[in-house]
Amino acid sequence: MNFLESIEMAGKTLLSNKLRSALTMLGIIIGNGSVIAMIGIGEGGQKFVANQLNSLGPNVLFVIPGNEETQRVSRDVVRTLVLEDATAIATQVPTVAATAAELNSRQVVTYQNRNTNVNIIGTTPSFLQVRDFEVATGRFFSDIDMKRSNQVVVLGAKLKEKLFGNTNPIGEQIRIKNASFQIIGILTDKGSNLGVDYDESALVPIITTANRLVGRTSPYGLEVTYIVASAQDADSVDAAEFQITNLLRQRHKLVGENDFTIRTQKDALQTVGQISGALTVMLTGIAAISLLVGGIGIMNIMLVSVTERTQEIGLRKAIGATQQDILIQFMIEAVIVSIIGGLVGTTMGVGGIFLVSAISPLEASISLVSITMAVGISGGIGLFFGVVPARRAAKLDPIVALRSA
Protein backbone atom coordinates (compact mmCIF):
# COMPACT_ATOMS: atom_id res chain seq x y z
CA MET A 1 0.00 0.00 0.00
CA ASN A 2 1.22 3.49 -0.79
CA PHE A 3 0.94 6.42 1.61
CA LEU A 4 -2.32 7.82 0.16
CA GLU A 5 -3.98 4.42 0.39
CA SER A 6 -2.89 4.19 4.03
CA ILE A 7 -4.45 7.58 4.77
CA GLU A 8 -7.70 6.57 3.02
CA MET A 9 -7.87 3.32 4.94
CA ALA A 10 -7.13 5.09 8.22
CA GLY A 11 -9.96 7.53 7.55
CA LYS A 12 -12.42 4.73 6.84
CA THR A 13 -11.36 2.88 9.99
CA LEU A 14 -11.87 5.97 12.16
CA LEU A 15 -15.25 6.74 10.56
CA SER A 16 -16.44 3.19 11.20
CA ASN A 17 -15.99 3.84 14.95
CA LYS A 18 -17.20 7.44 15.24
CA LEU A 19 -17.95 7.45 18.97
CA ARG A 20 -14.65 5.88 19.93
CA SER A 21 -12.75 8.24 17.62
CA ALA A 22 -14.55 11.27 19.11
CA LEU A 23 -13.79 10.16 22.67
CA THR A 24 -10.16 9.61 21.69
CA MET A 25 -9.97 13.18 20.37
CA LEU A 26 -11.62 14.70 23.45
CA GLY A 27 -8.47 15.07 25.53
CA ILE A 28 -6.61 16.68 22.61
CA ILE A 29 -9.56 19.02 21.91
CA ILE A 30 -9.74 20.19 25.52
CA GLY A 31 -5.97 20.54 25.81
CA ASN A 32 -5.54 22.42 22.56
CA GLY A 33 -8.47 24.74 23.21
CA SER A 34 -7.27 25.49 26.73
CA VAL A 35 -3.69 26.25 25.67
CA ILE A 36 -4.74 28.62 22.86
CA ALA A 37 -7.39 30.31 25.02
CA MET A 38 -4.95 30.83 27.92
CA ILE A 39 -2.26 32.30 25.65
CA GLY A 40 -4.79 34.55 23.89
CA ILE A 41 -6.40 35.75 27.13
CA GLY A 42 -2.96 36.36 28.65
CA GLU A 43 -1.86 38.46 25.67
CA GLY A 44 -5.20 40.28 25.70
CA GLY A 45 -4.70 41.06 29.39
CA GLN A 46 -1.25 42.47 28.69
CA LYS A 47 -2.63 44.71 25.93
CA PHE A 48 -5.48 45.87 28.17
CA VAL A 49 -3.13 46.87 30.98
CA ALA A 50 -0.74 48.52 28.49
CA ASN A 51 -3.62 50.58 27.09
CA GLN A 52 -4.67 51.53 30.62
CA LEU A 53 -1.15 52.70 31.43
CA ASN A 54 -0.82 54.59 28.14
CA SER A 55 -4.11 56.36 28.80
CA LEU A 56 -2.65 57.83 32.00
CA GLY A 57 -1.04 60.48 29.84
CA PRO A 58 1.82 60.87 27.37
CA ASN A 59 5.24 59.98 28.79
CA VAL A 60 4.16 60.46 32.37
CA LEU A 61 6.25 60.10 35.50
CA PHE A 62 4.67 59.63 38.93
CA VAL A 63 6.51 61.09 41.91
CA ILE A 64 5.23 59.31 45.01
CA PRO A 65 5.96 60.28 48.65
CA GLY A 66 8.30 57.95 50.53
CA ASN A 67 10.84 55.44 49.26
CA GLU A 68 10.10 51.77 48.65
CA GLU A 69 11.19 50.78 52.15
CA THR A 70 8.96 53.27 53.96
CA GLN A 71 6.03 52.45 51.69
CA ARG A 72 6.41 48.76 52.53
CA VAL A 73 6.95 49.13 56.29
CA SER A 74 4.85 52.13 57.35
CA ARG A 75 1.11 51.81 57.79
CA ASP A 76 0.65 55.57 57.86
CA VAL A 77 0.44 57.67 54.71
CA VAL A 78 3.90 58.99 53.94
CA ARG A 79 3.87 62.78 53.38
CA THR A 80 7.07 64.14 51.92
CA LEU A 81 5.90 66.03 48.81
CA VAL A 82 4.40 69.51 48.69
CA LEU A 83 2.83 71.68 45.99
CA GLU A 84 5.99 73.77 45.74
CA ASP A 85 7.88 70.63 44.64
CA ALA A 86 5.56 70.35 41.64
CA THR A 87 6.07 74.04 40.82
CA ALA A 88 9.84 73.61 41.03
CA ILE A 89 9.78 70.59 38.72
CA ALA A 90 7.69 72.51 36.16
CA THR A 91 9.99 75.53 36.16
CA GLN A 92 13.45 74.02 36.72
CA VAL A 93 13.47 70.70 34.86
CA PRO A 94 13.98 71.37 31.13
CA THR A 95 12.93 67.89 29.98
CA VAL A 96 9.48 68.22 31.62
CA ALA A 97 6.66 69.69 29.53
CA ALA A 98 4.12 70.10 32.34
CA THR A 99 3.49 69.09 35.93
CA ALA A 100 0.35 68.51 37.95
CA ALA A 101 0.00 67.82 41.67
CA GLU A 102 -2.88 65.78 43.09
CA LEU A 103 -4.45 65.73 46.53
CA ASN A 104 -7.04 62.93 46.67
CA SER A 105 -9.73 62.09 49.21
CA ARG A 106 -13.12 60.37 49.45
CA GLN A 107 -16.07 62.69 50.12
CA VAL A 108 -19.85 62.64 49.94
CA VAL A 109 -21.21 64.67 47.01
CA THR A 110 -24.83 65.85 47.29
CA TYR A 111 -27.27 67.39 44.81
CA GLN A 112 -30.84 67.89 46.03
CA ASN A 113 -31.92 64.44 47.32
CA ARG A 114 -29.15 62.55 45.55
CA ASN A 115 -25.81 61.78 47.16
CA THR A 116 -22.88 59.52 46.49
CA ASN A 117 -19.43 58.88 47.91
CA VAL A 118 -16.82 59.65 45.23
CA ASN A 119 -13.13 60.28 44.75
CA ILE A 120 -12.29 64.00 44.98
CA ILE A 121 -9.18 64.93 43.02
CA GLY A 122 -7.64 68.21 44.04
CA THR A 123 -5.31 69.22 41.23
CA THR A 124 -3.86 72.07 39.18
CA PRO A 125 -4.94 73.58 35.82
CA SER A 126 -2.18 71.66 34.00
CA PHE A 127 -3.94 68.37 34.85
CA LEU A 128 -5.59 68.19 31.41
CA GLN A 129 -2.28 68.49 29.57
CA VAL A 130 -0.35 66.09 31.78
CA ARG A 131 -3.01 63.38 31.98
CA ASP A 132 -4.32 63.81 28.42
CA PHE A 133 -7.91 64.56 29.48
CA GLU A 134 -10.48 66.67 27.61
CA VAL A 135 -13.45 68.76 28.72
CA ALA A 136 -16.71 67.78 26.99
CA THR A 137 -18.80 70.71 28.25
CA GLY A 138 -17.90 73.96 29.99
CA ARG A 139 -14.33 74.67 31.06
CA PHE A 140 -11.59 73.51 33.38
CA PHE A 141 -10.54 75.60 36.35
CA SER A 142 -7.85 78.24 35.77
CA ASP A 143 -4.91 79.76 37.60
CA ILE A 144 -7.25 82.47 38.89
CA ASP A 145 -9.52 79.81 40.40
CA MET A 146 -6.43 78.36 42.06
CA LYS A 147 -5.17 81.65 43.48
CA ARG A 148 -8.59 82.70 44.77
CA SER A 149 -9.36 79.22 46.11
CA ASN A 150 -12.66 79.32 44.20
CA GLN A 151 -15.19 76.64 45.07
CA VAL A 152 -15.61 75.26 41.55
CA VAL A 153 -15.75 71.65 40.40
CA VAL A 154 -15.41 69.62 37.19
CA LEU A 155 -17.38 66.36 37.11
CA GLY A 156 -16.55 63.05 35.50
CA ALA A 157 -19.01 61.81 32.85
CA LYS A 158 -20.54 59.01 34.97
CA LEU A 159 -20.85 61.21 38.05
CA LYS A 160 -22.68 63.82 35.98
CA GLU A 161 -25.12 61.14 34.74
CA LYS A 162 -25.65 59.83 38.26
CA LEU A 163 -26.48 63.24 39.72
CA PHE A 164 -28.13 65.07 36.80
CA GLY A 165 -29.12 62.51 34.17
CA ASN A 166 -29.50 64.22 30.78
CA THR A 167 -29.78 67.71 32.28
CA ASN A 168 -26.99 70.20 31.62
CA PRO A 169 -25.44 70.83 35.07
CA ILE A 170 -23.15 73.74 34.16
CA GLY A 171 -23.73 76.53 36.70
CA GLU A 172 -25.53 74.26 39.18
CA GLN A 173 -24.41 74.00 42.81
CA ILE A 174 -23.49 70.74 44.52
CA ARG A 175 -22.29 70.11 48.06
CA ILE A 176 -19.04 68.35 48.76
CA LYS A 177 -18.68 67.53 52.42
CA ASN A 178 -20.30 70.67 53.92
CA ALA A 179 -19.20 73.18 51.28
CA SER A 180 -21.05 74.40 48.18
CA PHE A 181 -19.30 74.12 44.78
CA GLN A 182 -20.32 75.45 41.37
CA ILE A 183 -20.07 73.06 38.42
CA ILE A 184 -18.02 74.63 35.62
CA GLY A 185 -17.25 71.65 33.38
CA ILE A 186 -17.79 67.99 32.47
CA LEU A 187 -14.94 65.70 31.40
CA THR A 188 -15.16 63.33 28.44
CA ASP A 189 -15.31 59.59 29.12
CA LYS A 190 -11.91 58.34 30.23
CA GLY A 191 -12.48 55.12 32.13
CA SER A 192 -10.50 53.86 35.08
CA ASN A 193 -6.74 53.95 35.49
CA LEU A 194 -5.04 51.71 38.03
CA GLY A 195 -8.15 51.40 40.17
CA VAL A 196 -9.26 55.07 39.96
CA ASP A 197 -12.43 55.64 37.93
CA TYR A 198 -12.07 59.22 36.71
CA ASP A 199 -15.53 59.11 35.16
CA GLU A 200 -16.98 58.90 38.68
CA SER A 201 -14.63 61.48 40.19
CA ALA A 202 -14.91 65.20 40.87
CA LEU A 203 -11.98 67.54 40.20
CA VAL A 204 -11.46 70.59 42.40
CA PRO A 205 -8.61 73.17 42.55
CA ILE A 206 -5.96 71.71 44.83
CA ILE A 207 -5.77 74.74 47.12
CA THR A 208 -9.55 74.70 47.55
CA THR A 209 -9.34 70.98 48.36
CA ALA A 210 -6.74 71.61 51.04
CA ASN A 211 -8.57 74.59 52.57
CA ARG A 212 -12.21 73.43 52.37
CA LEU A 213 -12.20 69.63 52.26
CA VAL A 214 -9.04 68.05 53.59
CA GLY A 215 -7.32 70.67 55.70
CA ARG A 216 -3.93 69.15 55.01
CA THR A 217 -1.14 71.61 55.84
CA SER A 218 2.44 71.36 57.05
CA PRO A 219 5.29 73.74 57.92
CA TYR A 220 6.81 72.94 54.53
CA GLY A 221 3.77 73.75 52.37
CA LEU A 222 0.65 72.12 50.98
CA GLU A 223 1.12 68.35 51.16
CA VAL A 224 0.07 66.38 48.07
CA THR A 225 -0.78 62.75 47.39
CA TYR A 226 1.61 62.59 44.45
CA ILE A 227 3.02 64.65 41.57
CA VAL A 228 2.57 63.74 37.91
CA ALA A 229 5.04 65.09 35.35
CA SER A 230 4.90 64.78 31.57
CA ALA A 231 8.23 64.51 29.75
CA GLN A 232 8.84 66.41 26.50
CA ASP A 233 8.83 63.12 24.56
CA ALA A 234 9.42 59.39 25.01
CA ASP A 235 13.19 59.82 24.64
CA SER A 236 13.25 62.38 27.47
CA VAL A 237 11.66 60.18 30.16
CA ASP A 238 14.93 58.80 31.57
CA ALA A 239 16.55 62.25 31.56
CA ALA A 240 13.48 63.74 33.26
CA GLU A 241 13.60 61.06 35.95
CA PHE A 242 17.28 61.81 36.62
CA GLN A 243 16.76 65.58 36.73
CA ILE A 244 13.67 65.37 38.97
CA THR A 245 15.57 63.11 41.38
CA ASN A 246 18.45 65.57 41.64
CA LEU A 247 16.12 68.57 42.08
CA LEU A 248 14.03 66.97 44.84
CA ARG A 249 17.11 65.74 46.69
CA GLN A 250 18.41 69.32 46.72
CA ARG A 251 15.04 70.76 47.78
CA HIS A 252 14.58 68.17 50.57
CA LYS A 253 18.26 68.50 51.63
CA LEU A 254 18.76 64.74 51.46
CA VAL A 255 22.06 63.09 52.25
CA GLY A 256 21.03 59.44 52.43
CA GLU A 257 18.17 57.64 50.72
CA ASN A 258 15.43 59.43 48.79
CA ASP A 259 12.19 60.26 50.59
CA PHE A 260 10.26 59.85 47.33
CA THR A 261 9.89 57.30 44.54
CA ILE A 262 9.59 57.96 40.81
CA ARG A 263 7.58 55.54 38.67
CA THR A 264 7.37 55.63 34.88
CA GLN A 265 5.07 53.92 32.41
CA LYS A 266 8.02 51.79 31.28
CA ASP A 267 8.54 50.51 34.83
CA ALA A 268 4.87 49.69 35.20
CA LEU A 269 4.71 47.97 31.80
CA GLN A 270 7.73 45.84 32.62
CA THR A 271 6.27 44.80 35.97
CA VAL A 272 2.88 44.02 34.49
CA GLY A 273 4.50 42.13 31.60
CA GLN A 274 6.50 39.97 34.00
CA ILE A 275 3.50 39.18 36.20
CA SER A 276 1.07 38.47 33.35
CA GLY A 277 3.74 36.50 31.47
CA ALA A 278 4.37 34.29 34.51
CA LEU A 279 0.62 33.75 35.00
CA THR A 280 0.18 32.90 31.31
CA VAL A 281 3.00 30.36 31.43
CA MET A 282 1.54 28.79 34.57
CA LEU A 283 -1.98 28.56 33.18
CA THR A 284 -0.70 27.29 29.84
CA GLY A 285 1.32 24.63 31.63
CA ILE A 286 -1.78 23.50 33.52
CA ALA A 287 -3.76 23.39 30.27
CA ALA A 288 -0.95 21.47 28.57
CA ILE A 289 -1.50 18.64 31.04
CA SER A 290 -4.74 17.99 29.17
CA LEU A 291 -2.68 17.41 26.02
CA LEU A 292 -0.61 14.82 27.88
CA VAL A 293 -3.75 13.13 29.17
CA GLY A 294 -5.16 13.21 25.64
CA GLY A 295 -2.01 11.53 24.31
CA ILE A 296 -2.30 8.78 26.90
CA GLY A 297 -5.94 8.36 25.89
CA ILE A 298 -4.89 7.94 22.26
CA MET A 299 -2.39 5.24 23.23
CA ASN A 300 -4.97 3.35 25.32
CA ILE A 301 -7.63 3.45 22.61
CA MET A 302 -5.13 2.44 19.94
CA LEU A 303 -4.01 -0.53 22.07
CA VAL A 304 -7.64 -1.61 22.35
CA SER A 305 -7.95 -1.16 18.59
CA VAL A 306 -4.96 -3.45 18.01
CA THR A 307 -6.62 -6.15 20.13
CA GLU A 308 -9.94 -5.79 18.29
CA ARG A 309 -8.29 -5.84 14.86
CA THR A 310 -6.01 -8.82 15.44
CA GLN A 311 -7.70 -10.84 12.66
CA GLU A 312 -7.44 -7.92 10.21
CA ILE A 313 -3.74 -7.54 10.99
CA GLY A 314 -3.18 -11.30 10.55
CA LEU A 315 -4.98 -11.35 7.17
CA ARG A 316 -3.05 -8.31 5.90
CA LYS A 317 0.29 -9.82 6.91
CA ALA A 318 -0.70 -13.19 5.44
CA ILE A 319 -1.28 -11.63 2.01
CA GLY A 320 2.02 -9.74 2.02
CA ALA A 321 1.79 -6.67 4.23
CA THR A 322 5.08 -5.91 5.93
CA GLN A 323 5.70 -4.77 9.49
CA GLN A 324 6.38 -1.31 8.13
CA ASP A 325 2.98 -1.23 6.38
CA ILE A 326 1.17 -2.12 9.63
CA LEU A 327 3.31 0.33 11.63
CA ILE A 328 2.61 3.19 9.25
CA GLN A 329 -1.12 2.34 9.18
CA PHE A 330 -1.55 2.65 12.95
CA MET A 331 0.75 5.67 13.18
CA ILE A 332 -1.32 7.50 10.55
CA GLU A 333 -4.52 6.77 12.47
CA ALA A 334 -3.02 8.18 15.67
CA VAL A 335 -1.74 11.31 13.90
CA ILE A 336 -5.08 11.91 12.14
CA VAL A 337 -6.92 11.69 15.47
CA SER A 338 -4.47 14.15 17.03
CA ILE A 339 -4.53 16.67 14.16
CA ILE A 340 -8.32 16.66 13.86
CA GLY A 341 -8.60 17.02 17.64
CA GLY A 342 -6.05 19.84 17.47
CA LEU A 343 -7.99 21.68 14.77
CA VAL A 344 -11.30 21.32 16.64
CA GLY A 345 -9.61 22.42 19.86
CA THR A 346 -8.09 25.40 18.05
CA THR A 347 -11.51 26.47 16.81
CA MET A 348 -12.92 26.20 20.32
CA GLY A 349 -9.96 28.09 21.79
CA VAL A 350 -10.29 30.93 19.28
CA GLY A 351 -14.03 31.04 19.93
CA GLY A 352 -13.36 31.22 23.66
CA ILE A 353 -11.01 34.18 23.15
CA PHE A 354 -13.65 36.10 21.17
CA LEU A 355 -16.28 35.23 23.79
CA VAL A 356 -14.11 36.55 26.62
CA SER A 357 -13.38 39.74 24.65
CA ALA A 358 -17.10 40.21 23.99
CA ILE A 359 -18.12 40.01 27.67
CA SER A 360 -15.05 41.67 29.21
CA PRO A 361 -12.78 44.66 28.52
CA LEU A 362 -9.98 42.35 27.38
CA GLU A 363 -8.99 42.70 23.73
CA ALA A 364 -9.11 39.56 21.56
CA SER A 365 -5.55 38.48 20.83
CA ILE A 366 -4.93 35.50 18.57
CA SER A 367 -1.35 34.41 17.98
CA LEU A 368 -0.77 32.45 14.77
CA VAL A 369 2.46 31.17 16.28
CA SER A 370 0.63 29.68 19.27
CA ILE A 371 -2.01 28.11 17.00
CA THR A 372 0.65 26.58 14.74
CA MET A 373 2.58 25.30 17.74
CA ALA A 374 -0.54 23.84 19.38
CA VAL A 375 -1.62 21.97 16.25
CA GLY A 376 1.96 20.81 15.63
CA ILE A 377 2.28 19.60 19.21
CA SER A 378 -1.04 17.77 18.85
CA GLY A 379 0.28 15.90 15.79
CA GLY A 380 3.54 15.20 17.62
CA ILE A 381 1.64 13.79 20.60
CA GLY A 382 -0.31 11.49 18.32
CA LEU A 383 2.92 10.35 16.68
CA PHE A 384 4.66 9.83 20.03
CA PHE A 385 1.87 7.99 21.82
CA GLY A 386 0.93 6.04 18.70
CA VAL A 387 4.34 4.36 18.53
CA VAL A 388 3.66 1.72 21.23
CA PRO A 389 0.37 0.36 19.82
CA ALA A 390 1.68 0.62 16.25
CA ARG A 391 4.81 -1.39 17.10
CA ARG A 392 2.70 -3.95 18.91
CA ALA A 393 0.45 -4.33 15.87
CA ALA A 394 3.41 -4.54 13.49
CA LYS A 395 5.10 -7.33 15.48
CA LEU A 396 2.06 -9.63 15.55
CA ASP A 397 2.78 -13.02 14.01
CA PRO A 398 0.20 -13.59 11.22
CA ILE A 399 -0.37 -17.27 12.16
CA VAL A 400 -0.86 -16.43 15.85
CA ALA A 401 -3.07 -13.49 14.92
CA LEU A 402 -5.35 -15.59 12.72
CA ARG A 403 -5.48 -18.40 15.26
CA SER A 404 -6.35 -16.08 18.15
CA ALA A 405 -8.96 -14.12 16.20
Side-chain angles (χ1 to χ4, degrees):
M1 292 178 66
N2 59 37
F3 188 71
L4 292 178
E5 289 176 337
S6 297
I7 293 177
E8 182 181 356
M9 186 171 181
K12 290 180 179 178
T13 302
L14 293 173
L15 287 174
S16 64
N17 295 279
K18 296 182 181 65
L19 180 59
R20 186 172 67 186
S21 299
L23 292 175
T24 306
M25 295 177 191
L26 189 59
I28 298 294
I29 291 172
I30 294 174
N32 240 48
S34 300
V35 168
I36 291 173
M38 288 301 101
I39 294 175
I41 292 172
E43 291 180 355
Q46 288 184 0
K47 289 182 179 179
F48 173 76
V49 175
N51 291 335
Q52 288 283 295
L53 291 172
N54 289 330
S55 66
L56 292 174
N59 311 315
V60 295
L61 301 93
F62 287 86
V63 187
I64 306 168
N67 55 38
E68 294 182 359
E69 181 66 22
T70 57
Q71 291 172 7
R72 183 170 60 252
V73 174
S74 177
R75 294 183 180 180
D76 297 327
V77 178
V78 182
R79 299 175 181 176
T80 58
L81 296 177
V82 294
L83 181 59
E84 287 73 15
D85 289 328
T87 304
I89 292 172
T91 56
Q92 299 179 38
V93 178
T95 52
V96 167
T99 304
E102 293 189 24
L103 176 58
N104 299 342
S105 66
R106 299 289 301 187
Q107 303 290 348
V108 175
V109 174
T110 304
Y111 175 72
Q112 294 180 353
N113 61 344
R114 302 171 189 171
N115 63 80
T116 181
N117 189 287
V118 301
N119 186 40
I120 303 297
I121 302 174
T123 188
T124 55
S126 55
F127 177 87
L128 294 181
Q129 179 184 353
V130 176
R131 302 300 296 274
D132 197 25
F133 278 56
E134 294 181 0
V135 175
T137 307
R139 66 176 181 88
F140 204 69
F141 41 80
S142 63
D143 291 326
I144 295 177
D145 293 318
M146 283 274 294
K147 292 176 181 178
R148 294 178 178 176
S149 190
N150 288 341
Q151 293 179 207
V152 293
V153 62
V154 177
L155 302 183
K158 288 183 182 177
L159 180 58
K160 175 261 179 185
E161 292 292 331
K162 185 178 293 187
L163 294 177
F164 296 93
N166 296 325
T167 306
N168 184 3
I170 302 299
E172 295 289 339
Q173 299 283 334
I174 62 173
R175 295 192 68 80
I176 303 177
K177 203 172 182 179
N178 294 318
S180 180
F181 286 77
Q182 183 183 34
I183 300 172
I184 61 172
I186 306 296
L187 293 177
T188 57
D189 291 332
K190 187 68 174 180
S192 61
N193 296 119
L194 302 179
V196 179
D197 190 348
Y198 288 93
D199 291 343
E200 291 193 3
S201 299
L203 281 70
V204 176
I206 191 168
I207 295 177
T208 308
T209 304
N211 294 339
R212 302 290 184 180
L213 302 178
V214 179
R216 181 180 296 179
T217 58
S218 77
Y220 307 102
L222 194 163
E223 295 174 344
V224 298
T225 306
Y226 51 81
I227 298 170
V228 189
S230 176
Q232 295 284 358
D233 50 54
D235 296 330
S236 303
V237 172
D238 292 337
E241 182 178 0
F242 177 77
Q243 293 168 3
I244 291 171
T245 300
N246 289 338
L247 175 63
L248 291 181
R249 285 186 63 84
Q250 291 176 8
R251 286 183 53 81
H252 296 183
K253 297 180 174 59
L254 300 177
V255 178
E257 295 183 357
N258 295 335
D259 62 355
F260 59 89
T261 305
I262 299 179
R263 301 289 189 199
T264 65
Q265 286 180 320
K266 182 172 66 175
D267 296 333
L269 286 171
Q270 287 177 347
T271 302
V272 169
Q274 291 172 354
I275 295 173
S276 59
L279 289 174
T280 301
V281 169
M282 181 186 70
L283 293 174
T284 303
I286 294 172
I289 295 175
S290 298
L291 286 174
L292 178 63
V293 173
I296 295 172
I298 289 175
M299 183 173 65
N300 290 336
I301 296 298
M302 294 301 293
L303 285 172
V304 173
S305 179
V306 169
T307 303
E308 290 181 349
R309 295 162 63 187
T310 301
Q311 184 178 21
E312 173 196 331
I313 295 169
L315 286 172
R316 291 186 60 191
K317 297 191 76 172
I319 60 176
T322 63
Q323 285 192 6
Q324 185 178 3
D325 292 332
I326 303 299
L327 180 68
I328 291 175
Q329 179 67 43
F330 278 84
M331 294 286 286
I332 288 175
E333 290 181 17
V335 171
I336 288 176
V337 168
S338 297
I339 291 178
I340 293 176
L343 292 173
V344 174
T346 297
T347 303
M348 293 179 62
V350 171
I353 293 172
F354 280 109
L355 178 62
V356 170
S357 66
I359 61 177
S360 74
L362 297 183
E363 180 182 346
S365 180
I366 300 171
S367 172
L368 293 178
V369 174
S370 64
I371 291 176
T372 304
M373 287 181 59
V375 175
I377 290 172
S378 298
I381 285 175
L383 191 63
F384 179 79
F385 285 98
V387 168
V388 173
R391 284 175 58 84
R392 179 176 177 181
K395 289 183 177 180
L396 283 176
D397 184 272
I399 297 175
V400 175
L402 288 171
R403 184 180 298 169
S404 61

